[in-house]
Amino acid sequence: MAVYALVDCNNFYVSCERVFNPALEGKPVIVMSNNDGCAVARSAEAKIIGVDMAAPAFKLRHLVESHGLVMLSSNYALYGDMSERVMSVLATFSPGAEVYSIDECFLDLDGLPVDDLTAWSQQIRATVRRWTGIPVSVGIGSTKTLAKLANRLAKKSKKANGALDLTGNPKWVEAALKQTPVGDVWGIGRQYAAHCGVNGICTAYDLTLQSDGWIKKTMGAVGLRTVMELRGTPVHTLDTAPSDRQTTCCSRSFGEAVEGFDQVRDAVVTFASRAAEKIRGQGLVAGALQVFAYTDRFRPDQPQFSLNSLIRLSPPTSSTPHIIGAALRGLETSWRDGYGYKKAGVILVDLVRPEDIPRDLFSQPQDAGVKPKALMAAVDGINSKLGKGAVGYGFAPKDAPWQMRCDNRTPSYTTSWDELPVVKA
DNA sequence: TCTGGGGTCCTAGGACCC
DNA sequence: TCTGGGGTCCTAGGACCC
C-alpha cells in the first residue's frame, strides 16, 4: 500500500519572523502580500481576533490599536532561505521527498522501516523545530489527497498534537472524511464547493458517494482524480524531480496608479529584466513574451482598460536586452493614453532548454558583435557578488510612483551580510 | 485613500487539413 | 433542393494550487 506524509509548516511566514524576533511569540501577527496589500499569513492569535485570509490591510489597521496586531511586510529572501533549511532536514527522513511549495513537502514512506508512524511524525516535528525553529504538522494517508486532509486535521485537533496518521484503519479515514467540509479538500475550490453545496454535498465523505459521471461532468477530469484519491486510490505520485517551468512571470501592482507612458515603460523594463534573470538562473530560453498592463479593477468609477500583447522571440533567448526590446515593442503597439495604470507585468512563455530549440532554417546567429551569453553571465556574476540590481538596464528610481509599498519589512537575517542578527551580551 | 504574485492543468471553440 | 466527418493544433478562459 502506498503511504504518503505531508509535512506543512505552521503559519510559515509568521513562524520565520518569530525565529528572529521571539518578542512576536504569543502576539497576533500577520505578514502582508507584496505592496502591503492584504494578509497572506496569520498567527493563531491573529486568526482568533478575526483576521481573514487575504483580508485587505487597510481594513485591519484598527486592530493594531485595539488588539496589538503586528503587520509585517513580506520578506521573501528570509522565507526562501528558511524553507531550504526545513526541506533539507525533511530530506533526511525519507529518500523520496517532493518539495511541493515553499512551506510543504510530501514524503514517500513506502518501504521505510517504520512501525509507529505517529511516533515517527512526532520525531520529525521535534527535529525540524530544534534545527530550524519552525513548527510543522504532519499528516499521513494512503494518497496525497488523504495526507493533505490528515494534515489539516492534525493542525486542528488538540489531541492529534500536530501529527495524524490515517493509514492504520479504514474507519479512521471515514471519520476524517465526515468531519472535513468539501471546500477544504485539496483540489476543491470556491466554485466547485458552491456547486457541491447546491447539490447537498457538504462533506468530503458525501463527495466520495457521488457517481463518477456526475463528478466528471461538474468538476472535470481533475475533480474525478481528487475523488478517487479521497476513496483511497492513489492517482498522484511523488514528483521528486520537477520538470522545467513552462512560463515565468514578473508583475507588480503599482504603489499608485500612473498615467504616463514613460513610467509604465520604466516598470516594464524592470520586470522584463527580472524575468530574463530568472530564466537564465534556470538555464532556459523563452520563445515568446507577453507584456500586459491594466487599470485599477477596484475603481469601477474610473475608465478601465487592459492591454496585452504577445511577441515572438526568434530565435528563443534569455538575453536581457533582447527581452526588454521585445517587451517595449509590445507595450508601444498596444499602449493607450488616458488611463490610470495600476499593474503591469511581463510573462516569458514557451520556455525551453537551448539544446531543445528546434532548428530554424532562416534564423541568424544571434548578435554577431557582442556575445550575449558572456555579457549576461558577467551581469549575473556582478549582481550575485555585489547584490541585486548592482548593474542593470533601464531606469528604476526607488521613489518612482510605481515602486511597490513595503513599509515594514524585517531584515534579510540569513541572506545578507549587512543584515545579520546581532547578539548583544 | 487602501484589495498580491506566481504557477499548473483542462476544456471549449475556432482554424485548418484531408 | 441537397452542403461530412474526423483529426490536429492553437488560444483564451476558467478552474485550481500555494
Side-chain angles (χ1 to χ4, degrees):
Chain A
M1 189 184 79
V3 185
Y4 294 103
L6 175 68
V7 183
D8 187 318
C9 302
N10 301 345
N11 319 320
F12 181 56
Y13 297 169
V14 170
S15 297
C16 290
E17 299 288 352
R18 281 176 167 168
V19 170
F20 293 93
N21 183 0
L24 296 174
E25 226 43 82
K27 288 185 187 161
V29 180
I30 63 163
V31 172
M32 292 176 286
S33 63
N34 274 321
N35 229 14
D36 292 349
C38 59
V40 292
R42 306 160 293 156
S43 72
E45 299 80 0
K47 290 172 191 168
I48 288 169
I49 62 171
V51 178
D52 291 327
M53 193 60 177
F58 71 91
K59 288 186 180 167
L60 301 174
R61 305 250 181 246
H62 69 281
L63 294 171
V64 175
E65 280 289 307
S66 60
H67 291 78
L69 178 67
V70 178
M71 301 172 68
L72 299 172
S73 301
S74 42
N75 183 347
Y76 287 102
L78 176 65
Y79 313 147
D81 184 63
M82 293 300 285
S83 174
E84 280 179 28
R85 296 173 190 221
V86 170
M87 298 307 169
S88 68
V89 177
L90 294 179
T92 66
F93 281 85
S94 167
E98 173 190 345
V99 176
Y100 176 68
S101 74
I102 195 167
D103 70 335
E104 285 170 84
C105 183
F106 284 104
L107 301 175
D108 186 352
L109 311 187
D110 205 17
L112 284 192
V114 179
D115 20 84
D116 186 343
L117 287 173
T118 304
W120 183 82
S121 301
Q122 291 298 352
Q123 196 194 333
I124 290 186
R125 299 185 65 231
T127 309
V128 174
R129 184 66 187 251
R130 191 169 338 112
W131 293 2
T132 69
I134 300 292
V136 301
S137 302
V138 184
I140 295 178
S142 59
T143 67
K144 284 173 141 186
T145 305
L146 287 172
K148 276 281 236 184
L149 190 138
N151 189 289
R152 177 181 162 277
L153 294 173
K155 281 200 171 73
K156 282 177 77 82
S157 148
K158 247 205 157 92
K159 193 175 133 208
N161 190 27
L164 180 63
D165 168 27
L166 294 179
T167 59
N169 185 330
K171 289 214 167 102
W172 299 346
V173 177
E174 189 177 314
L177 291 170
K178 282 181 174 166
Q179 49 179 293
T180 302
V182 70
D184 286 341
V185 172
W186 185 42
I188 309 293
R190 281 237 307 280
Q191 302 297 321
Y192 293 163
H195 222 282
C196 286
V198 169
N199 289 278
I201 299 158
C202 302
T203 66
Y205 182 73
D206 297 339
L207 187 59
T208 61
L209 302 179
Q210 306 307 306
S211 77
D212 289 4
W214 185 86
I215 295 160
K216 179 94 194 281
K217 184 166 56 89
T218 47
M219 307 193 301
V222 182
L224 185 54
R225 273 178 230 151
T226 293
V227 177
M228 304 214 348
E229 288 235 320
L230 287 176
R231 292 175 184 150
T233 308
V235 180
H236 302 300
T237 52
L238 205 73
D239 185 8
T240 49
S243 41
D244 290 332
R245 291 204 180 305
Q246 300 167 20
T247 66
T248 278
C249 174
C250 181
S251 75
R252 290 286 180 277
S253 293
F254 300 152
E256 51 190 86
V258 299
E259 284 206 12
F261 175 81
D262 289 1
Q263 290 181 322
V264 177
R265 178 202 59 202
D266 290 349
V268 163
V269 168
T270 306
F271 303 152
S273 75
R274 274 283 307 128
E277 260 171 58
K278 276 198 222 175
I279 64 167
R280 286 202 298 275
Q282 295 162 32
L284 299 172
V285 291
L289 145 177
Q290 271 179 281
V291 54
F292 65 88
Y294 49 78
T295 48
D296 190 345
R297 66 200 159 99
F298 295 104
R299 296 293 300 273
D301 55 308
Q302 295 182 350
Q304 297 288 313
F305 178 60
S306 161
L307 69 82
N308 195 328
S309 51
L310 176 73
I311 306 286
R312 294 267 153 216
L313 297 167
S314 181
T317 182
S318 63
S319 135
T320 299
H322 285 92
I323 286 172
I324 289 177
L328 291 183
R329 281 203 304 285
L331 182 66
E332 277 157 16
T333 55
S334 51
W335 176 261
R336 273 203 229 161
D337 276 322
Y339 294 95
Y341 292 91
K342 190 66 171 59
K343 178 169 178 171
V346 171
I347 309 173
L348 301 180
V349 301
D350 296 348
L351 301 182
V352 285
R353 305 222 146 247
E355 58 269 29
D356 298 336
I357 298 175
R359 290 286 290 273
D360 177 344
L361 199 54
F362 303 107
S363 58
Q364 300 293 317
Q366 207 181 69
D367 249 14
V370 190
K371 288 206 178 111
K373 265 191 190 158
L375 176 59
M376 288 299 101
V379 167
D380 292 339
I382 292 170
N383 284 333
S384 130
K385 197 165 177 186
L386 301 181
K388 245 185 211 170
V391 290
Y393 291 80
F395 181 62
K398 287 275 176 287
D399 58 351
W402 52 267
Q403 291 283 12
M404 65 177 180
R405 274 192 300 268
C406 171
D407 296 333
N408 198 13
R409 176 176 294 170
T410 52
S412 299
Y413 298 107
T414 61
T415 54
S416 167
W417 290 113
D418 300 335
E419 301 177 33
L420 290 182
V422 175
V423 180
K424 288 177 184 146

